[in-house]
Amino acid sequence: MCTALGEIALKKFRHWFWVASGCAWAVSSVAWAAIGISDAQGLAFGKFVAGSGGTVTVSPAGVRSFSGGVVLVPSGPGAAAQFVVTGDPGLSYSISLPGDGMVSLTSGSNTMAVNDFTSSPTLVGVIGPGGSQTLLVGAKLSVGGNQAHGSYSGTFSVTVNYN
Amino acid sequence: MTFARISSFNRTALKAALASAVVLGSTGLVGTAHAANDSTNATATVMAPITIVKATDLAFGKFSALTGGTIKVDTDNGISVTGGVLKGTGSTGTAARFNLTGDTNNSYSISYSGAGNTALTHTDNSTTMALAKVSALTAASGTTGLLSVGALSAGVGSIYVGGTLTVATGQLPGVYSGSITVTVDYN
């Protein structure tokens, strides 16, 4: 007869010992801490003049670049989004970013599409020794020719999952 | 030895072992199925383009050089002379005025062609007078120096440019002209 003899909690893992008729045949370790994610800073494309239109890209490192007729305004430099992922130190996790066509910024009836989301770490992160890791996210904004001026905003979500 | 022990399981014990394995499997799934999701804001500010258009030219009017000196047009159109320069009777000066449009909530930088000095050239394409420019955002008197930064109010603004012209003794009579390019850019 196999019966659960007991469990011991060691740091953040729970170890189950199963004993059957005098033969220990299974030990299972179950993750103790759930993975968590919280936003620390929004994604900002900053200030720019649309001109003939183009794109504004913010890299995960927070570096802003443009293409086409967009003119970047220095006083609004933009910033990458920052999330803090928490969980068990050393555990790897997968990162799911919004796909193309899923996110747009709006100002009244005017919109701009946000695509090409990228992150650092890229696809897989590893929780740091302190139980957290900073996840940085950038993306590319499509700006129309003479895009109506104003303050645009939107939201997007990021999902993390233990591997 | 191990093999012998396993083979000695009776059927009831084997079923219990399988059941335990299923429980273990389920427990493992619970442990790895933790996913977390969070949303954040994304923002962008599309600014109205900043534009600048000349509304009025800078003019010093008519004067006689005589023994030379200076003639100054202030940003409020006030005109004054020093030295031997004699302003023509009834002659008036006007400061240059540039009109701006753009975004209220952002300062802009201002730059000028020719740095501080601009040469006005006689129609002989050779003789010149030096113009030391001054600028202001309002038609103020007593303006000194060149502004390098401004801010729009309710999306509009102006830059006034005046200056002091240095006139040589016996400066060659005639019409002198030059141009000043003012460039503005969002900071």
Side-chain angles (χ1 to χ4, degrees):
Chain A
M1 185 74 187
C2 274
T3 54
L5 188 64
E7 66 172 285
I8 58 169
L10 186 63
K11 282 197 169 179
K12 293 187 176 179
F13 288 85
R14 184 187 301 177
H15 301 269
W16 294 84
F17 291 84
W18 300 81
V19 177
S21 303
C23 63
W25 68 270
V27 176
S28 170
S29 296
V30 180
W32 182 267
I35 192 167
I37 183 170
S38 61
D39 61 310
Q41 176 176 285
L43 172 62
F45 291 96
K47 294 179 175 179
F48 54 86
V49 175
S52 59
T55 65
V56 176
T57 300
V58 174
S59 74
V63 177
R64 189 167 67 149
S65 58
F66 73 97
S67 70
V70 172
V71 180
L72 301 179
V73 173
S75 61
Q82 282 185 24
F83 294 89
V84 177
V85 181
T86 55
D88 284 314
L91 281 192
S92 69
Y93 62 91
S94 62
I95 301 160
S96 297
L97 302 174
D100 288 353
M102 292 175 64
V103 178
S104 63
L105 306 187
T106 61
S107 173
S109 60
N110 302 304
T111 65
M112 292 187 284
V114 184
N115 292 315
D116 296 347
F117 279 85
T118 55
S119 65
S120 174
T122 51
L123 298 175
V124 175
V126 177
I127 304 292
S132 69
Q133 184 178 45
T134 299
L135 173 62
L136 304 169
V137 179
K140 180 189 285 185
L141 180 70
S142 295
V143 182
N146 297 315
Q147 181 82 38
H149 59 267
S151 294
Y152 289 72
S153 63
T155 61
F156 68 94
S157 64
V158 173
T159 301
V160 291
N161 198 351
Y162 279 138
N163 285 317
Chain B
M1 285 297 287
T2 304
F3 179 80
R5 288 190 180 184
I6 291 176
S7 66
S8 71
F9 277 9
N10 63 33
R11 202 165 177 77
T12 307
L14 191 57
K15 281 182 181 173
L18 287 172
S20 296
V22 169
V23 169
L24 272 177
S26 299
T27 307
L29 280 175
V30 169
T32 56
H34 291 304
N37 174 289
D38 193 25
S39 64
T40 193
N41 294 325
T43 59
T45 303
V46 179
M47 299 178 69
I50 190 166
T51 65
I52 182 166
V53 177
K54 183 205 72 178
T56 309
D57 284 319
L58 170 60
F60 289 86
K62 295 177 179 176
F63 57 88
S64 299
L66 302 180
T67 58
T70 65
I71 181 165
K72 180 184 182 185
V73 171
D74 211 339
T75 50
D76 69 347
N77 297 336
I79 191 162
S80 57
V81 296
T82 66
V85 175
L86 184 64
K87 185 176 76 73
T89 303
S91 176
T92 58
T94 55
R97 177 178 176 173
F98 297 88
N99 289 333
L100 281 67
T101 65
D103 193 288
T104 299
N105 300 315
N106 210 89
S107 67
Y108 58 86
S109 63
I110 314 168
S111 58
Y112 309 81
S113 61
N117 286 301
T118 298
L120 301 195
T121 306
H122 191 277
T123 47
D124 69 0
N125 289 326
S126 166
T127 310
T128 63
M129 289 185 286
L131 165 64
K133 301 182 288 289
V134 297
S135 65
L137 300 182
T138 57
S141 62
T143 299
T144 58
L146 282 170
L147 284 179
S148 61
V149 66
L152 298 172
S153 175
V156 297
S158 295
I159 299 172
Y160 297 82
V161 179
T164 300
L165 203 55
T166 299
V167 183
T169 302
Q171 183 80 39
L172 180 66
V175 176
Y176 292 72
S177 64
S179 68
I180 302 165
T181 301
V182 178
T183 304
V184 291
D185 203 357
Y186 284 130
N187 284 318

